[in-house]
Amino acid sequence: MKDLEFLRGNEVLKEVLPELKDKADIIVLLSHQGTAVDRLTAEEFSEIDIILGGHSHDLITKPEIINNTYMVQALSDAAVLGEIDLEIKDRKLTGVKANHRLLWLSDFEKDREMENLIEELRASYRDHLEEGIATATEVIDRQYKTESSFDKLVGNLL
């Protein structure tokens, strides 16, 4: 962990965007900062064409446009398959169409062949995979604004 360096995303963008603008026709930012921060990023950096966002688990069904930057996000935890069509003219992004396909487990029948394959692959590792390593005596919660019990647990495991 001592060699890791955590920087503010927008500070890094100030350094790399000028170089990217010279090398790319379209700049796509894959972000995990959350919708609120993505909006601030779009306001500050009009040279970003589209932000594919995450973290805040929002469903942006119609792409937002802020300062000529499109923003999309497709919920979380594989609940939605987000699809985008980029409209490009003269090497410039001129439009974005988004489609979201809900992937609720209850909407799909089990694939018995796949289920059998997974069971077969897990079989030799089952004891290890299902071995109990600890018992929680209280709820292990997850917070997004402050350090939580879950964050401490994962941090201490490293």
Side-chain angles (χ1 to χ4, degrees):
M1 297 283 291
K2 68 178 180 163
D3 294 330
L4 289 179
E5 185 178 6
F6 295 91
L7 305 170
R8 295 191 176 276
N10 287 2
E11 295 303 315
V12 174
L13 284 173
K14 287 177 187 173
E15 293 177 26
V16 299
L17 276 178
E19 182 180 344
L20 287 176
K21 282 177 20 181
D22 293 337
K23 294 181 177 183
D25 296 328
I26 297 170
I27 296 176
V28 178
L29 175 65
L30 181 60
S31 167
H32 196 260
Q33 302 182 107
T35 300
V37 175
D38 288 345
R39 287 184 179 124
L40 294 173
T41 300
E43 288 173 11
E44 187 173 350
F45 301 100
S46 62
E47 53 269 74
I48 297 171
D49 293 291
I50 183 168
I51 299 174
L52 306 177
H55 182 68
S56 51
H57 302 182
D58 294 320
L59 179 61
I60 301 175
T61 56
K62 182 180 177 193
E64 291 184 25
I65 304 173
I66 299 171
N67 198 18
N68 297 319
T69 299
Y70 291 87
M71 284 181 30
V72 295
Q73 192 175 147
L75 267 177
S76 66
D77 305 316
V80 172
L81 173 63
E83 299 174 316
I84 55 171
D85 290 324
L86 304 180
E87 298 169 5
I88 299 169
K89 185 175 182 179
D90 297 325
R91 302 172 76 116
K92 299 287 181 207
L93 183 64
T94 58
V96 174
K97 293 180 183 171
N99 187 22
H100 296 90
R101 300 180 191 278
L102 299 175
L103 301 176
W104 307 129
L105 185 60
S106 59
D107 291 345
F108 296 91
E109 288 185 34
K110 285 185 177 182
D111 182 326
R112 295 293 177 201
E113 185 178 342
M114 181 59 68
E115 194 173 46
N116 291 337
L117 175 61
I118 292 169
E119 284 302 314
E120 180 184 321
L121 293 170
R122 289 184 85 237
S124 61
Y125 303 99
R126 184 176 322 286
D127 290 343
H128 183 68
L129 290 170
E130 296 178 2
E131 177 185 356
I133 58 171
T135 301
T137 58
E138 55 190 71
V139 173
I140 301 175
D141 63 337
R142 175 77 195 270
Q143 302 294 322
Y144 288 99
K145 303 284 185 202
T146 60
E147 184 179 55
S148 67
S149 304
F150 180 80
D151 298 318
K152 291 176 188 173
L153 173 66
V154 171
N156 290 335
L157 289 173
L158 299 175

